Every structure is written in structure tokens, then in C-alpha cells.
Amino acid sequence: MVKKTIDFRDSLSSISLLKVTQVLSSMSPSEILEVRGIDADIRQDLLKVLPQEEYEILVSKGHTDTDTFERMRIRKRS
């Protein structure tokens, strides 16, 4: 079950990365964050910024014919 959702369509990538790291750090273990509206570049930057021991990627969906943005679900580890 997704506990928190962030939608970044039409936002700046540096602000997006900061917001995701802030939200993830405030979450309890096992909570899930869904990040919507990220592009491939932001996704790659996000994977570089977040410490791997603190999160687990559950779902990462790519773009469709009508939407060029991606969606990720991230579970915080204990």
C-alpha cells in the first residue's frame, strides 16, 4: 500500500531530488513512497543520491505512448 505520493510533472529536477530525499528520510521503515512524473534523467540521479541500504525499488514503470514520464515506488528499509 502506497503511503505517500509525490508528483513531479513539470518541476525542476534538483528540487525533485531534494524533495524525495526529505520525504524518504521522514518516513517510517516499510512505508512506501510513489514518485510520479520523473523522467529518465531524474530517475538516474535519484538512484545515485539515495543510499541503497535505506531503500528498495519495488516498481519502476517507463513511459507510454501518451506519457513520457516514469513512476517509481520506493520502500524504506529499517
Side-chain angles (χ1 to χ4, degrees):
M1 170 187 282
V2 175
K3 294 283 187 175
K4 300 178 187 287
T5 302
I6 300 175
D7 192 337
F8 287 119
R9 287 175 276 197
D10 302 321
S11 68
L12 301 172
S13 64
S14 58
I15 294 172
S16 303
L17 293 174
L18 179 60
K19 183 64 176 175
V20 170
T21 56
Q22 288 175 339
V23 170
L24 190 64
S25 68
S26 71
M27 290 171 49
S28 300
S30 299
E31 280 190 310
I32 298 171
L33 169 64
E34 182 171 276
V35 183
R36 297 178 185 167
I38 60 174
D39 62 24
D41 292 335
I42 295 173
R43 182 185 184 283
Q44 290 302 320
D45 290 342
L46 184 59
L47 294 175
K48 292 176 188 174
V49 170
L50 296 176
Q52 290 183 357
E53 64 276 0
E54 293 184 19
Y55 74 92
E56 172 184 11
I57 303 296
L58 301 176
V59 173
S60 181
K61 295 190 177 187
H63 62 83
T64 64
D65 292 338
T66 59
D67 191 356
T68 59
F69 293 99
E70 294 187 16
R71 176 176 58 179
M72 289 177 69
R73 286 189 181 166
I74 305 168
R75 178 185 300 148
K76 183 170 182 175
R77 295 182 178 171
S78 52

